[in-house]
Amino acid sequence: MNIRTLLIDKAIAAMVAAGLPEDTNPAVTQSTRPQFGDYQINGAMGAAKKLKSNPRELAQKIIDNLDLADIAEKTEIAGPGFINIHLKPEFLSASLKAANEDEKLAVEPHATAQKVVVDYSSPNLAKEMHVGHLRSTIIGDAVVRALEFRGDEVVRQNHMGDWGTQFGMLIAHLEDQINQGVDLESVALADLETFYRDAKKRFDDEEGFADKARNYVVKLQSGDAHCEKLWKLFIATSVKHSEEVYKRLNVTLTQDDIMAESAYNSELANIIALLKDKNIAVESDGAQVVFLDELANKDGEPSVFIVQKSGGGFLYATTDLAACDYRSNKLGADRILIFVDARQSLHFNQVELTARKAGLLRDETSYEFCPFGTMMGEDGKPFKTRTGGTVKLADLLEESITRAAAKLAERESDLSDEERSEIARKVGIGAVKFADLSKHRTSDYIFNWDTMLSFEGATAPYLQYAYTRVRSIFRKSGIDAASLTADVAINEPQEKALALKLLQLEEVLDLMISEATPHVLCGYLYELASLYMTFYEACPVLKEGVEPNVRDSRLVLCNLVAKTLKSGLDLLGIEVMEQM
């Protein structure tokens, strides 16, 4: 249930009945102070300014037409025209009961489901995944999970880089390795970084190798069977590396979601022909170029978008235009979300403008470039190894698990070594993911081991521990949470604050989905856990002398907190545990 949306609908109806224009913004917000109610309708002031009328008188007209009999126990005008809404405890109790009994916590599916294509992760298959792939992979996956939770149809698209000049170089090097009898799995492709580096060194230094590599690119793009066989061998091993990282990261991408650059190869010539036929692309110095006046610089010079090289080769630009056509026209997407480094903003602006002019993107398709910032080291520079090299993502995750195990070893526990190892895995992976997801998508952030693995503050370990604390109540009480049928009695302010927060999940998910910003869910879960701790201290649950009906009411709240924490963390791809 989304209380805010319900109030917005009610407020709009009241405003129309009061004679206000239909496009009047009701401006419904959550109240930040209990004395001012639970929610506020603030639209009277903006409307009064436009209509040049008294805002308090307008607010009264809205209240006179506001049908909140089943929802609110009191509405009142405050200040210059705020309308404070105090929700009925009975309404909150019924809403909590419905959430507790529903698998999706009363989060309703979208009234009209959309088809959403989400382009994320997209590693270059010439190399192993490194920390630069983390943000796209986990931010995209969290948004995908939330979209599906709300009932949208999601098409995952892992636009892997498996085409281009570097593959001629790699294939030539791979062929030589095979001719020397090297076992590919255990040696030649076991370390993709080393393999790439060795091939690049030969390309730069070895006489004749660069020409051979360029020749292999042409052969590969022309469908040469020998080159294609070597290319597929390389790709298969490279994809296997990526899948191992996805599994460890608890990311939902599979091999079926790969829609790599090469998948569009047969369409690229058609894309150029279309752009030329429509006079969108013109020849310039032998290349095919789109000049975009919409992105002109301060001197009025149009932005230059090259879609085909002078030698006839295609570029990322061509492939991305073909992807627009496939996703919008063939798949029929309502939304296309692309999670890529912020430094590619200009490129994707050029892609959208060109694609819309050419009809490769339908007007009905929303094309949303979702840029993200950079993970920084303690020195404020992009995160690197101590020697200045690229940090492999697999190595980062392994180190986090090791550090988590060391942290957990400091805590007293009667768990077995096997249980502690599994908890360390969940804590280590969760810590890396939450540290990233809890920052605004567009922000750079400093990667800090001590902060992210802390059991205090807005971290995954804190939330995972909060979940285990709630679950421990049921172990101590011997009460099966699923058997609880009690109504929730809201008598204490801490109970009401917790109830209101629990009922805001759908509202938070809608914001996360519309803005593609998982940090809002991270913030919500931290606030929920914090409010639960305050509630638990102020409102005894299992303490001697607590009436059974009060105990059961509070146990229902505890159970809903646990379910919400678990569901919320699952949407972020973070696992919980019953004990730690």
Side-chain angles (χ1 to χ4, degrees):
M1 162 174 286
N2 189 331
I3 295 175
R4 182 170 176 270
T5 297
L6 179 62
L7 292 174
I8 288 172
D9 292 342
K10 295 279 189 181
I12 290 173
M15 288 177 164
V16 171
L20 276 66
E22 290 187 10
D23 62 349
T24 303
N25 182 4
V28 175
T29 62
Q30 299 168 22
S31 177
T32 55
R33 297 182 184 178
Q35 64 266 36
F36 297 140
D38 304 313
Y39 282 83
Q40 293 176 327
I41 299 174
N42 302 324
M45 290 169 290
K49 188 174 182 180
K50 287 183 180 179
L51 299 172
K52 297 182 180 179
S53 61
N54 185 300
R56 284 185 65 90
E57 290 178 4
L58 200 55
Q60 186 59 55
K61 286 183 181 180
I62 294 171
I63 287 179
D64 291 342
N65 290 279
L66 197 57
D67 180 17
L68 297 179
D70 297 332
I71 301 172
E73 62 179 354
K74 182 173 71 172
T75 56
E76 60 188 1
I77 301 173
F82 299 106
I83 300 174
N84 296 339
I85 299 170
H86 300 258
L87 298 174
K88 282 185 174 180
E90 298 84 359
F91 168 73
L92 293 175
S93 179
S95 301
L96 291 166
K97 186 178 180 67
N100 193 51
E101 294 174 352
D102 184 64
E103 183 182 352
K104 288 196 171 182
L105 310 174
V107 173
E108 299 173 354
H110 283 139
T112 303
Q114 291 188 313
K115 178 177 277 191
V116 187
V117 173
V118 185
D119 178 336
Y120 67 109
S121 191
S122 308
N124 187 333
L125 293 184
K127 300 180 181 180
E128 285 187 58
M129 291 180 72
H130 55 78
V131 292
H133 297 118
L134 177 68
R135 302 211 73 185
S136 173
T137 303
I138 64 174
I139 295 172
D141 203 57
V143 173
V144 159
R145 288 168 180 257
L147 285 163
E148 289 183 329
F149 194 78
R150 289 290 275 121
D152 286 330
E153 179 187 352
V154 177
V155 180
R156 294 164 174 79
Q157 296 271 273
N158 195 348
H159 191 81
M160 286 182 165
D162 68 342
W163 208 242
T165 305
Q166 75 268 37
F167 282 95
M169 174 185 78
L170 293 166
I171 290 168
H173 185 50
L174 180 57
E175 182 181 55
D176 290 344
Q177 294 280 301
I178 292 173
N179 291 338
Q180 293 170 23
V182 175
D183 177 69
L184 297 176
E185 282 287 328
S186 63
V187 182
L189 300 181
D191 186 337
L192 290 172
E193 294 295 325
T194 301
F195 187 90
Y196 185 92
R197 193 162 48 245
D198 290 346
K200 185 68 167 68
K201 189 174 190 311
R202 292 185 68 191
F203 187 89
D204 293 338
D205 301 338
E206 187 177 312
E207 186 176 348
F209 184 80
D211 291 334
K212 181 180 180 180
R214 294 189 186 99
N215 183 46
Y216 273 27
V217 173
V218 176
K219 285 186 174 183
L220 178 63
Q221 293 181 343
S222 301
D224 179 84
H226 176 66
C227 286
E228 188 171 323
K229 180 181 177 181
L230 294 175
W231 173 74
K232 284 182 177 178
L233 191 61
F234 184 90
I235 294 302
T237 304
S238 194
V239 166
K240 182 181 175 183
H241 280 275
S242 299
E243 288 185 322
E244 289 169 353
V245 173
Y246 293 147
K247 183 177 180 181
R248 174 141 281 203
L249 260 181
N250 191 27
V251 163
T252 59
L253 283 169
T254 70
Q255 193 158 344
D256 292 339
D257 302 315
I258 296 174
M259 190 68 179
E261 290 175 8
S262 60
Y264 302 103
N265 194 45
S266 63
E267 297 298 321
L268 302 185
N270 297 333
I271 294 294
I272 298 301
L274 175 68
L275 294 176
K276 291 167 68 175
D277 288 346
K278 290 178 175 279
N279 294 319
I280 295 169
V282 296
E283 186 174 322
S284 177
D285 294 330
Q288 292 298 322
V289 180
V290 179
F291 293 99
L292 296 166
D293 293 324
E294 297 90 338
L295 299 175
N297 62 21
K298 61 182 180 181
D299 297 322
E301 298 169 336
S303 178
V304 177
F305 187 46
I306 303 173
V307 293
Q308 186 177 29
K309 293 188 283 189
S310 57
F314 301 114
L315 303 100
Y316 291 129
T318 333
T319 305
D320 285 330
L321 289 170
C324 287
D325 185 38
Y326 173 73
R327 295 165 181 176
S328 181
N329 292 312
K330 292 186 174 66
L331 292 179
D334 297 299
R335 297 177 72 189
I336 299 172
L337 307 181
I338 302 174
F339 291 90
V340 183
D341 189 298
R343 288 169 290 189
Q344 296 193 43
S345 296
L346 173 60
H347 170 78
F348 282 100
N349 280 336
Q350 293 173 323
V351 169
E352 181 178 11
L353 282 168
T354 303
R356 292 217 182 271
K357 289 180 179 183
L360 300 172
L361 277 175
R362 296 176 301 126
D363 292 340
E364 298 85 356
T365 300
S366 171
Y367 189 79
E368 302 169 40
F369 171 58
C370 306
F372 52 82
T374 304
M375 178 199 292
M376 314 292 275
E378 296 284 0
D379 58 0
K381 298 177 181 178
F383 195 67
K384 299 282 186 183
T385 63
R386 287 173 182 165
T387 57
T390 301
V391 179
K392 294 180 184 178
L393 189 47
D395 292 345
L396 178 81
L397 299 178
E398 192 58 45
E399 181 171 356
S400 187
I401 293 170
T402 301
R403 287 175 177 261
K407 282 266 188 184
L408 291 165
E410 298 170 1
R411 304 164 67 92
E412 289 187 15
S413 174
D414 56 2
L415 297 172
S416 69
D417 290 344
E418 185 179 348
E419 289 171 326
R420 292 166 75 94
S421 177
E422 178 65 3
I423 291 169
R425 181 189 65 78
K426 291 180 178 180
V427 170
I429 300 298
V432 170
K433 296 182 78 170
F434 193 89
D436 190 299
L437 294 170
S438 60
K439 311 301 186 298
H440 193 290
R441 170 168 51 76
T442 60
S443 300
D444 295 340
Y445 74 96
I446 301 294
F447 186 90
N448 182 281
W449 286 114
D450 291 335
T451 300
M452 61 185 261
L453 286 165
S454 173
F455 282 84
E456 297 178 358
T459 67
Y462 171 79
L463 292 175
Q464 289 166 322
Y465 181 58
Y467 174 79
T468 64
R469 284 192 62 181
V470 182
R471 294 295 299 143
S472 70
I473 291 173
F474 292 94
R475 287 195 297 276
K476 290 176 185 175
S477 68
I479 296 173
D480 180 8
S483 69
L484 291 168
T485 58
D487 291 331
V488 178
I490 300 172
N491 298 312
E492 302 297 332
Q494 294 85 358
E495 291 172 322
K496 187 170 188 180
L498 186 59
L500 286 168
K501 184 59 66 175
L502 283 165
L503 294 173
Q504 288 166 4
L505 177 60
E506 184 175 308
E507 183 180 330
V508 169
L509 292 181
D510 282 347
L511 179 59
M512 172 182 170
I513 288 168
S514 65
E515 302 290 334
T517 48
H519 79 279
V520 299
L521 177 57
C522 295
Y524 167 80
L525 294 174
Y526 176 64
E527 290 167 8
L528 176 64
S530 300
L531 284 171
Y532 173 77
M533 298 304 179
T534 302
F535 154 81
Y536 187 74
E537 290 175 6
C539 304
V541 180
L542 302 179
K543 191 175 180 181
E544 187 176 345
V546 176
E547 294 291 332
N549 61 323
V550 174
R551 178 202 65 194
D552 289 352
S553 166
R554 290 174 180 172
L555 280 173
V556 171
L557 274 177
C558 291
N559 188 44
L560 188 51
V561 168
K563 290 168 71 174
T564 305
L565 285 174
K566 184 176 182 178
S567 292
L569 287 170
D570 182 64
L571 292 174
L572 299 172
I574 296 172
E575 298 174 87
V576 296
M577 60 291 294
E578 293 298 305
Q579 294 176 268
M580 67 188 299

